[in-house]
């Protein structure tokens, strides 16, 4: 799924905990997908399921601490990780 990295955008990044996740690829199956953001101990601080294709949606993590997080998109095709930076 490495070639899929460019099809996932997060903006703004860095952000204050609110950001937009944009997915632009019809080849990567996102049916019954999941967005997960774990903390430093890999405990989920955000978890949302979705059933979308080529979409943009807003994520609100304003209550999390400042730091660097790895957002994961999980689907039947695999996992894509994107780094997000939260600055307060």
């Amino acid at each position: 799924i490495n070639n899929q990295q460019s099809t996932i955008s997060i903006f703004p990044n860095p952000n204050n905990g609110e950001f937009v996740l944009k997915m632009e690829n019809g080849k990567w199956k996102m049916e019954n997908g999941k967005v997960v953001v774990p903390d430093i101990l890999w405990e989920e601080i955000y978890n949302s399921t979705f059933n979308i294709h080529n979409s943009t949606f807003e994520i609100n993590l304003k209550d999390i601490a400042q730091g660097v997080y790895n957002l994961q998109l999980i689907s039947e095709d695999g996992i894509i990780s994107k780094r997000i930076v939260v600055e307060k």
Side-chain angles (χ1 to χ4, degrees):
I1 300 185
N2 291 337
N3 63 343
Q4 303 298 330
Q5 293 289 340
S6 62
T7 65
I8 308 297
S9 303
I10 295 173
F11 54 91
N13 196 17
N15 58 66
N16 66 356
E18 289 184 303
F19 56 92
V20 173
L21 175 64
K22 184 175 183 181
M23 293 178 277
E24 301 181 82
N25 192 337
K27 295 177 186 173
W28 198 60
K29 295 178 184 173
M30 296 305 293
E31 292 83 15
N32 301 315
K34 187 170 155 180
V35 177
V36 175
V37 178
D39 64 13
I40 196 165
L41 300 174
W42 288 97
E43 294 181 18
E44 293 180 2
I45 55 176
Y46 180 84
N47 181 334
S48 180
T49 58
F50 55 88
N51 190 1
I52 58 175
H53 221 65
N54 297 338
S55 190
T56 300
F57 59 99
E58 295 179 14
I59 295 179
N60 182 344
L61 301 176
K62 287 192 89 167
D63 294 334
I64 67 171
Q66 165 173 304
V68 178
Y69 297 87
N70 286 308
L71 178 140
Q72 296 180 322
L73 290 162
I74 303 167
S75 84
E76 59 192 63
D77 282 353
I79 299 173
I80 294 176
S81 293
K82 294 295 248 184
R83 184 176 297 181
I84 55 173
V85 178
V86 175
E87 297 177 343
K88 303 281 180 155

